[in-house]
Amino acid sequence: MSAHRPVTRADLGGLPLEVAPRLLGALLRTEVDGEEVVVRVSEVEAYHGRGTGDVPDPGSHARMGPTARNATMWGEPGHLYVYLSHGIHSCVNVVSGPEGVAGGILLRGGEIVEGEDAATRRRLERRGVVRSPRDLARGPGRLGDAVGLRHPQHDGIDAVTGAVQAGATARLELRVDPVPDIATGPRVGVAGVAGTAAFPWRFWIPGDPTVSPFRWGRGAQEAAGEVARPPVLD
């Protein structure tokens, strides 16, 4: 495994689209109720908020501005935005960008490199089945289950200082040498134009078995056709 170092606030000071590729190969270390799990990140997605960057992001939870749900995205970089998806899946995002500018990087997938027993037990408790080790953290809901971070009690946990929150700690470590080969493309399962090639804001390590397969979000395939269609000239 390559060398890693603790992440700093400065590392995460850029906007998500800039920072997201740098998180590939990073390690997220969590300790929940005395059990440590470490995941090596293989796949991420960038999300901006209202007023963040040059292009509005219609796929972001913060696209309409600050709310109680997305408050962590507007805060200090290095905290983790842990939100609930479909009422059951706790998904983990790394907040990046200047404080007051919304941004999150979804940890879409990774490989469990330490604490496989604990990760497997958590997955079995929440999902009832684990087909293979590569599936332990393949997909954002599975990753959240495996590392043990839950919404709402762990939303906002600090992955820079490792401060204890609701019986858990989290620390993020970056590769000293960034991943040399990176793939990019549309985000997975995101609705409408935000899930098309107009937003190639997903980044992954090519050939890594823990990367999730692409699937269209609601209306995204239709929107992709509209995006690709040449303009009608009068």
Side-chain angles (χ1 to χ4, degrees), residues 71-82:
T72 299
M73 290 182 71
W74 298 83
E76 187 178 40
H79 293 261
L80 302 184
Y81 169 47
V82 182

Side-chain angles (χ1 to χ4, degrees), residues 36-227:
E36 185 176 56
V37 170
V38 182
V39 60
R40 177 188 60 84
V41 178
S42 63
E43 181 184 16
V44 297
E45 289 177 348
Y47 290 88
H48 288 184
R50 187 183 67 185
T52 303
D54 298 330
V55 180
D57 181 3
S60 171
H61 290 172
R63 63 187 178 276
M64 303 299 290
T67 66
R69 182 195 192 194
N70 67 36
T72 299
M73 290 182 71
W74 298 83
E76 187 178 40
H79 293 261
L80 302 184
Y81 169 47
V82 182
Y83 72 89
L84 199 62
S85 174
H86 301 293
I88 53 174
H89 308 306
S90 290
C91 300
V92 180
N93 300 254
V94 177
V95 174
S96 74
E99 188 169 359
V101 177
I105 301 167
L106 175 65
L107 304 185
R108 268 210 63 86
E111 175 193 12
I112 301 299
V113 294
E114 294 181 32
E116 185 175 318
D117 288 346
T120 301
R121 191 192 69 254
R122 290 169 182 165
R123 284 287 321 284
L124 289 172
E125 289 173 351
R126 300 189 190 286
R127 308 286 180 111
V129 61
V130 176
R131 293 185 178 87
S132 70
R134 81 165 187 170
D135 288 329
L136 276 174
R138 188 181 187 219
R142 293 173 177 175
L143 188 149
D145 287 344
V147 301
L149 297 180
R150 307 302 299 166
H151 171 87
Q153 59 264 41
H154 299 133
D155 181 30
I157 194 169
D158 193 341
V160 174
T161 65
V164 178
Q165 179 172 320
T169 62
R171 291 186 182 274
L172 186 65
E173 301 175 4
L174 296 184
R175 282 178 52 125
V176 172
D177 298 314
V179 171
D181 298 315
I182 293 174
T184 184
R187 297 178 292 199
V188 176
V190 176
V193 69
T196 72
F199 287 85
W201 290 10
R202 178 169 67 116
F203 304 90
W204 67 92
I205 300 174
D208 193 295
T210 63
V211 172
S212 51
F214 177 76
R215 61 177 174 80
W216 293 106
R218 185 183 68 257
Q221 191 166 11
E222 294 79 5
E226 294 296 327
V227 170

Side-chain angles (χ1 to χ4, degrees), residues 13-24:
L15 298 185
L17 195 54
E18 169 193 341
V19 175
R22 189 71 178 86
L23 296 190
L24 293 176

